[in-house]
Amino acid sequence: MSIVVTGATGHLGRFVIEGLLEKVPADQITAVVRSEEKAADFAARGVKLAVADYNAPETFDGLFSAGDKVLLISGNEFDKGRVGQHKVVLDAAKAAGVALLAYTSAPGSLSAALADDHRDTEAAVLESGVTYAFLRNGWYNENYTENLAPVLEYGAVVQAAGEGKVSSASRADYAAAAVAVLTGEGHENKSYELGGDTAWDFAEYAAEVAKASGKEIVYNSVPVEAYKGILTGAGLPEPLAAILAGVDASIEKGELVVATGDLSRLTGRPTTPIAESIAAALKG
């Protein structure tokens, strides 16, 4: 029996592998990667590597074994048909008879277009009959703290979210929840709504960045269309800009406030406050 993690060298996947290494022997972990070179550090610690690509279904043939627990980390290639990519993994998992397929999804409350691929993937998993766990991850602190350079340069946080709040948490928090599900018992056919313990709005976020940086930072709320224009102006492809602007519209409606407490319950610790992630990003 192996615990198999797809997308293992991505931002979230790396945290998951690190967390698993603290809980189970390295030879019980398989990291699914596109490039062995990027996972050389895992291999050096005894983690098994499997080279496979969501876009090449044949690479998943025979990758899983009966009894495996699999974490399908959702793809990030919005232009390549993510549901089809996910079905490649699902089909291989079903054929092998895995014990559990955990999938990183989106909050059930999120109506933005970003959630469509997640809903369709969940539907495919349910239809397949595979034993599942849906990890409906809320927003990541890092979605904002990794883009602080323009905020500091212009002295402004620009979003189209009005006074809407976000209950975000760090990638490490969501990874710890995945590890808990993959190594624990009783998670079969469960859905977890995962979000940070404390919701914040962008005026509060701007104030935290100002406090941590010592610079004057204001929050400018702009209309969704204007925000989309800002994103495309910054070089983002129009479809991706539309998706991100749609998320802000959902934030304004309160759809990214996830108040279940599932995340801190699964991990056994409080979630990482946005202020802590801001401070870490500024130090980095």
Side-chain angles (χ1 to χ4, degrees):
M1 192 279 285
S2 215
I3 295 176
V4 188
V5 179
T6 72
T9 53
H11 290 303
L12 183 66
R14 283 199 160 272
F15 278 118
V16 172
I17 298 288
E18 291 293 345
L20 287 171
L21 282 166
E22 293 176 11
K23 294 275 184 84
V24 296
D27 63 3
Q28 288 180 21
I29 305 167
T30 300
V32 181
V33 298
R34 290 182 182 179
S35 155
E36 283 194 9
E37 289 77 20
K38 283 188 181 172
D41 55 327
F42 292 152
R45 293 158 74 183
V47 173
K48 294 177 189 165
L49 301 186
V51 179
D53 189 322
Y54 294 154
N55 300 307
E58 68 281 0
T59 59
F60 279 91
D61 290 347
L63 197 155
F64 304 125
S65 301
D68 283 354
K69 290 184 177 179
V70 178
L71 176 64
L72 167 54
I73 293 181
S74 55
N76 59 4
E77 296 175 314
F78 294 94
D79 57 335
K80 290 192 177 170
R82 292 198 298 169
V83 180
Q85 292 180 328
H86 299 158
K87 280 182 178 173
V88 166
V89 180
L90 172 60
D91 291 345
K94 183 179 180 178
V98 303
L100 182 74
L101 177 70
Y103 170 64
T104 61
S105 190
S109 54
L110 185 63
S111 69
L114 177 74
D116 293 347
D117 287 350
H118 294 300
R119 298 287 161 264
D120 291 345
T121 300
E122 286 191 13
V125 171
L126 292 173
E127 194 180 319
S128 76
V130 167
T131 302
Y132 68 87
F134 293 145
L135 304 170
R136 292 176 174 159
N137 289 354
W139 227 218
Y140 298 170
N141 290 349
E142 290 87 350
N143 289 351
Y144 302 108
T145 61
E146 286 178 352
N147 299 301
L148 282 175
V151 172
L152 297 172
E153 184 182 346
Y154 297 108
V157 172
V158 180
Q159 301 284 153
E163 294 175 7
K165 288 181 177 274
V166 183
S167 49
S168 65
S170 70
R171 279 201 193 99
D173 293 334
Y174 292 110
V179 169
V181 166
L182 293 166
T183 59
E185 301 296 329
H187 302 294
E188 293 80 7
N189 300 329
K190 297 271 180 73
S191 299
Y192 296 103
E193 299 285 346
L194 304 174
D197 296 335
T198 307
W200 48 267
D201 62 31
F202 285 100
E204 291 167 324
Y205 176 73
E208 285 293 351
V209 176
K211 186 173 157 190
S213 66
K215 298 188 174 187
E216 190 174 328
I217 310 285
V218 297
Y219 168 43
N220 291 335
S221 182
V222 299
V224 167
E225 283 303 311
Y227 185 54
K228 198 161 72 173
I230 289 166
L231 294 175
T232 52
L236 260 62
E238 194 158 326
L240 183 57
I243 284 171
L244 294 177
V247 168
D248 269 25
S250 284
I251 289 172
E252 185 164 22
K253 294 181 209 158
E255 293 177 6
L256 271 174
V257 175
V258 180
T260 59
D262 283 355
L263 183 51
S264 50
R265 262 196 303 278
L266 278 174
T267 61
R269 56 177 165 78
T271 59
T272 307
I274 189 69
E276 194 175 306
S277 291
I278 291 168
L282 289 172
K283 273 184 200 152

